[in-house]
Amino acid sequence: MTNDRTPRGKGSEVHGIFEKIAGYYDRMNFVMTLGRHDAWCREVAARVAPPAGGQLVDLATGTGVIALAAARKYPAATVTGVDFSEEMLRRARTKSGADAVRWRQADAACLPFENESIDGITQGYLLRNVEDLDGVLREQYRVLKPGGRVVILETCPPSGLAKPVVKWGVRTVVPLLGQVVARDRSSYSYLESSTLAFESPRHIAEILSGLGFKGIGWRKKFFGTNVILWATKPR
C-alpha cells in the first residue's frame, strides 16, 4: 500500500527499516533501556498537558506507546497517533486501549493538519530519522495553537568524561542486541549510527528557539544517551 505521503530518498530507506523492525520494536526498546522506555513515554505524555477537550498528536507514534499513555492520562482529549510506517500502525491498533486513539499514516515533514489546530504534540525518536530537522520542527510550530506544547523523546549523543565509554557501549551493544534479540544486526547498526551522529539537546533547543518557541528545557536520561525536551509556542 502506498500513497502520496510515502517517503522517498533517505526517508524511503528509514521507512523500510521501521517496517522491518515493527514486530520486535517494543521488545528492543525494553531491553536497550533496561525497562525504562515506558516510564519515559509516560513522562512525555505527562509533560504535554493538553486542555480538556483538546487535540493531541503523537508523531512517529510507532507501536503507540506514547499515544496510548496520553489517551489514558487525558481521556477528555482527542489523541491521534501518526506514523509513516503502515506496519507500526498495524501493531499499534492491536494494543489494549487502541480504540481510544485515532491512528493515521502521514509524513512528519508534511502534516495533514490545519494551521494552529493542535493543542499539544509528542514524539519519540522522530528527529534523528528525518532529512530536514528544521523543516520538521517548523511544521510542528505551524500546526500548534498558541500556548501549545511540544514534548520530544530522543536519543542523545554522549558527552563529558563518560563519552568514550558510552560511545563504545552504543557502538557495540546496540547492534549486538539487534542480533541476539531481533536477529537483525543491520537495522540496529543504522539506529546505533543515527544515535551517535544526532544533534545535542542544546542544538535542538537553539532550533526551537529560532522558530519562536519559548519555555524550552530538557532532561537527560540513562547515562545521557536519551533526552526529553519540551517547548511552548507563545500565545
Side-chain angles (χ1 to χ4, degrees):
M1 171 180 168
T2 60
N3 58 28
D4 60 355
R5 297 188 185 279
T6 300
R8 295 171 175 84
K10 177 188 174 184
S12 179
E13 177 185 355
V14 175
H15 177 266
I17 289 173
F18 280 94
E19 288 282 282
K20 183 180 179 183
I21 68 175
Y24 43 81
Y25 186 69
D26 288 341
R27 184 165 67 250
M28 280 295 294
N29 280 340
F30 180 87
V31 172
M32 288 192 300
T33 66
L34 300 181
R36 299 303 300 157
H37 179 256
D38 282 5
W40 301 341
C41 291
R42 290 193 297 271
E43 181 176 339
V44 169
R47 285 185 177 276
V48 72
Q55 297 282 338
L56 173 61
V57 172
D58 180 45
L59 300 177
T61 195
T63 57
V65 180
I66 295 175
L68 291 167
R72 289 190 296 269
K73 187 167 184 63
Y74 310 110
T78 299
V79 179
T80 303
V82 173
D83 205 284
F84 69 168
S85 167
E86 304 96 320
E87 184 61 20
M88 286 286 190
L89 289 171
R90 188 184 73 80
R91 300 271 175 176
R93 290 188 180 101
T94 67
K95 290 189 170 182
S96 175
D99 289 346
V101 178
R102 297 179 178 179
W103 306 103
R104 187 163 186 177
Q105 185 192 8
D107 191 331
C110 185
L111 294 174
F113 304 110
E114 299 295 328
N115 293 349
E116 298 188 348
S117 61
I118 304 300
D119 295 282
I121 295 174
T122 56
Q123 59 203 272
Y125 307 121
L126 165 68
L127 299 180
R128 66 176 178 167
N129 292 307
V130 302
E131 292 184 276
D132 182 3
L133 178 59
D134 293 49
V136 165
L137 290 172
R138 186 178 299 111
E139 183 73 346
Q140 294 177 35
Y141 190 89
R142 175 186 70 81
V143 303
L144 266 180
K145 293 180 182 179
R149 174 173 276 199
V150 57
V151 186
I152 301 164
L153 172 61
E154 260 301 346
T155 53
C156 183
S159 60
L161 295 176
K163 179 178 178 178
V165 175
V166 174
K167 193 172 183 179
W168 174 87
V170 171
R171 281 180 168 166
T172 304
V173 173
V174 172
L176 180 61
L177 287 174
Q179 177 63 39
V180 173
V181 176
R183 300 292 190 268
D184 185 0
R185 189 181 187 94
S186 62
S187 294
Y188 279 88
S189 293
Y190 160 76
L191 296 176
E192 163 263 316
S193 63
S194 68
T195 296
L196 294 177
F198 191 54
E199 304 291 350
S200 68
R202 186 170 300 280
H203 181 76
I204 299 172
E206 289 171 355
I207 296 174
L208 291 167
S209 178
L211 291 171
F213 282 100
K214 304 296 182 183
I216 302 166
W218 68 84
R219 177 179 292 177
K220 290 186 178 182
K221 305 286 185 180
F222 204 58
F223 311 108
T225 59
N226 285 255
V227 64
I228 295 176
L229 303 100
W230 54 88
T232 302
K233 182 174 181 175
R235 296 184 184 277

